[in-house]
Amino acid sequence: MTEGSEFVVEEAVIRNAEGGVSLVGSRCQCCGTKTIPRSDVCHVCMSETMVRFVLEGEGRLYSYTVLHVGRPGWRRPLALGYVDFDDNVRVFGPLTGDLQALCPDIAVRLTEIEIGTDEDGQVLRNFAFAAPETS
Amino acid sequence: MMRGVSIIGVGMTPFGKHPERSLSEIAWPAVKQALVDAGVERREIGAAWAGTGLGGPLVGQRVLGPLGMTGIPVTNVENACSSGSTALHAAVHAVASGAYDVAMALGAEKLSRFGGGTIPLEKDDWEVRNGMVMPALYAMRARRYMHEYGAEPRHFALVSVKSRRNGVHNADAQMRTEVTLEEVLHSRMIADPLTLLQCCPTGDGAAAVIVASTGVAARYSRKPVNVIASCLSSGVYTTGNRDMTTPTITVESAKRAYEEAGVGPEDIDVAEVHDAFSSAEIFYYEALGFCGKGEGVHLIESGATHIGGRIPVNPSGGLLSKGHPIGATGAAQVVEIVRQLRGDCGARQVGGARIGITHATGGGITGFDHGACSIHILAA
């Protein structure tokens, strides 16, 4: 996507008009089910009439953890969580911002982070959800 | 089930780190022990099912070949943490159907070949690509449960204290020393709120179970144990919201198992449940009906799940003490319950146990609560 670094889930992240990131998923034209990540078939009605939908903005943190183990080259500790959006969309991903402010049910917004490096030392980016700043 | 099925023999290789032994070398002793325990000749085994999570291809042939037991139908089964119990489910139903009078299920795993760290997951999976590891998944469930039901980290830690106390008396367990609540809470943080001593150790091991039609079982075993329910579920897929404080796949499997067995949770004398992480055991108390929703913390605090309590859970020490060689775990739970129902467990014996339940579930993939869950109910 952007030069000099790659997104971990390249196919699912786009740059929006404001320069931020949005996530790309699928919406079923038959039953309206939305999914992240994208899919060619609807798991609810099995229709193959999936079209692209773009997820952006704010969601609600369902739950989270701060992980102290995990992938070599990735941030440690790394906060991870599930975030709920409208229309029954739930997305798992990394969290950023003030980790002390994390709590289930707070609002978080879609953003991006450097999540670590790959085996070749290349910087890896990923979408992330930002906890609100505390001041 | 079409005809009754009984367990006539069990065996297991003590769980631990056996990096110097091949998977076959780890597993064949469990099979031989089960044959001896049953008093059955190897040529009488009509078919075998072999479960492994990460042990690679043809595990059944690799284990049974060196014992001269191949030639019979051997089916290899992969169902993540439920692989061994899925193998048993298949063997039980094959005997129930009349296809075989005697069959074997085994589970085998060698995780030491991966070095340390969390168990490897499917690299193509969406959540795994975004950083998911098993402790993180269980920790997020625990965090939400704390938020909704007021549980505290110490409640989860009490499960580790109880399990490690039981493990002291189990020669097949990897961890055989007691730990205090403080030691559990102050061990290294892995995935907040879960510390190291609340995560099951990985390891190597194997377990084998021989089943026979109830009609012929008495020919072999002095104390056959009847399989009164054998259930398997693959869970429900959703990309949307789910209540992560309720392990739906376990709730649904348990419902079916109790119905099949014609017993309820109040009839269970002893349970082996899938405590891959301390918090999970609390969730499974509720899912298996040992207490109501949100009451799991009170159940562990009250001592009801200790040996000698109302419903002893994981007298073997559970995964937290035994370790969790993925494919072997489900079969090893059955080994423990059979030994409990025979009254062979010595210092960790649950007094007067007549009905026991085993519960193995797992598999971290996007869209599922868990990928698989297998529940067996056994009766003396």
Side-chain angles (χ1 to χ4, degrees), chain B residues 11-376:
Chain B
M12 75 181 276
T13 302
F15 288 3
K17 313 280 190 204
H18 309 299
E20 72 292 351
R21 290 154 73 183
S22 69
L23 184 60
S24 173
E25 288 168 332
I26 288 166
W28 71 253
V31 172
K32 191 168 176 189
Q33 192 184 101
L35 291 168
V36 171
D37 183 47
V40 69
E41 295 292 327
R42 59 184 170 173
R43 60 178 168 72
E44 293 178 272
I45 305 295
W49 281 261
T52 191
L54 298 159
L58 297 173
V59 65
Q61 286 87 335
R62 283 153 58 204
V63 174
L64 298 174
L67 292 170
M69 288 179 67
T70 47
I72 59 171
V74 172
T75 307
N76 296 296
V77 173
E78 187 280 303
N79 232 353
C81 307
S82 311
S83 297
S85 46
T86 300
L88 178 61
H89 174 76
V92 165
H93 282 264
V95 169
S97 75
Y100 307 100
D101 282 337
V102 184
M104 171 178 283
L106 66 102
E109 204 75 64
K110 184 184 176 185
L111 293 179
S112 63
R113 72 194 181 103
F114 297 104
T118 60
I119 57 168
L121 300 175
E122 171 53 47
K123 288 192 177 73
D124 282 346
D125 183 83
W126 163 261
E127 292 187 348
V128 174
R129 290 173 67 203
N130 285 309
M132 184 66 87
V133 288
M134 293 312 282
L137 181 60
Y138 282 86
M140 288 186 285
R141 293 172 181 157
R143 175 63 61 186
R144 185 71 200 186
Y145 187 92
M146 290 164 67
H147 182 68
E148 290 191 21
Y149 297 99
E152 295 166 22
R154 73 182 171 88
H155 292 122
F156 303 136
L158 284 171
V159 172
S160 297
V161 174
K162 185 250 317 162
S163 292
R164 290 287 293 266
R165 185 174 302 154
N166 294 348
V168 169
H169 305 292
N170 186 356
D172 290 326
Q174 190 169 165
M175 301 296 187
R176 299 199 60 199
T177 52
E178 290 198 38
V179 291
T180 65
L181 183 62
E182 285 65 36
E183 284 169 336
V184 175
L185 287 170
H186 295 124
S187 59
R188 183 159 66 92
M189 185 58 77
I190 299 296
D192 183 27
L194 302 176
T195 57
L196 181 66
L197 291 177
Q198 297 177 75
C199 306
C200 65
T202 59
D204 312 323
V209 179
I210 301 175
V211 291
S213 69
T214 301
V216 306
R219 268 191 235 161
Y220 300 104
S221 172
R222 71 193 159 91
K223 284 184 191 168
V225 166
N226 297 324
V227 180
I228 58 174
S230 174
C231 280
L232 176 66
S233 174
S234 57
V236 174
Y237 182 84
T238 179
T239 58
N241 307 346
R242 71 164 76 238
D243 170 10
M244 287 178 66
T245 70
T246 301
T248 312
I249 186 172
T250 293
V251 172
E252 294 304 319
S253 302
K255 223 177 272 176
R256 280 172 41 214
Y258 287 134
E259 197 177 298
E260 188 176 317
V263 303
E266 66 283 358
D267 299 312
I268 302 296
D269 300 315
V270 57
E272 284 284 312
V273 312
H274 202 87
D275 61 332
F277 298 88
S278 59
S279 51
E281 184 170 307
I282 303 271
F283 284 40
Y284 299 140
Y285 293 162
E286 300 174 5
L288 295 170
F290 300 152
C291 63
K293 182 73 193 162
E295 295 171 2
V297 293
H298 306 303
L299 201 66
I300 184 70
E301 269 197 310
S302 73
T305 56
H306 288 235
I307 293 169
R310 172 169 71 79
I311 169 68
V313 175
N314 290 335
S316 71
L319 281 58
L320 287 167
S321 302
K322 278 186 304 193
H324 180 27
I326 303 171
T329 288
Q333 291 176 328
V334 173
V335 171
E336 175 70 11
I337 293 296
V338 167
R339 290 174 176 167
Q340 286 285 347
L341 298 183
R342 289 172 173 174
D344 289 344
C345 285
R348 67 176 196 283
Q349 180 65 45
V350 173
R354 295 196 45 78
I355 300 181
I357 192 168
T358 66
H359 160 261
T361 185
I365 46 172
T366 302
F368 288 89
D369 161 15
H370 274 306
C373 178
S374 179
I375 292 183
H376 288 83

Side-chain angles (χ1 to χ4, degrees), chain A residues 8-12 34-37 43 60-71 74 80-82 84 88-90 92 94 103-105 126-127, chain B residues 118 126-133 135-137 139-145 147-148 188-193 237-245 366:
Chain A
V8 171
V9 287
E10 191 82 18
E11 77 288 358
K34 290 179 175 176
T35 72
I36 300 273
H43 73 276
R60 191 175 60 95
L61 184 64
Y62 176 75
S63 193
Y64 72 95
T65 185
V66 179
L67 181 69
H68 297 259
V69 296
R71 207 154 308 182
W74 282 33
L80 296 163
Y82 279 108
D84 290 341
N88 195 32
V89 173
R90 175 172 289 181
F92 169 76
C103 178
D105 293 338
N126 205 5
F127 73 89
Chain B
T118 60
W126 163 261
E127 292 187 348
V128 174
R129 290 173 67 203
N130 285 309
M132 184 66 87
V133 288
L137 181 60
M140 288 186 285
R141 293 172 181 157
R143 175 63 61 186
R144 185 71 200 186
Y145 187 92
H147 182 68
E148 290 191 21
R188 183 159 66 92
M189 185 58 77
I190 299 296
D192 183 27
Y237 182 84
T238 179
T239 58
N241 307 346
R242 71 164 76 238
D243 170 10
M244 287 178 66
T245 70
T366 302

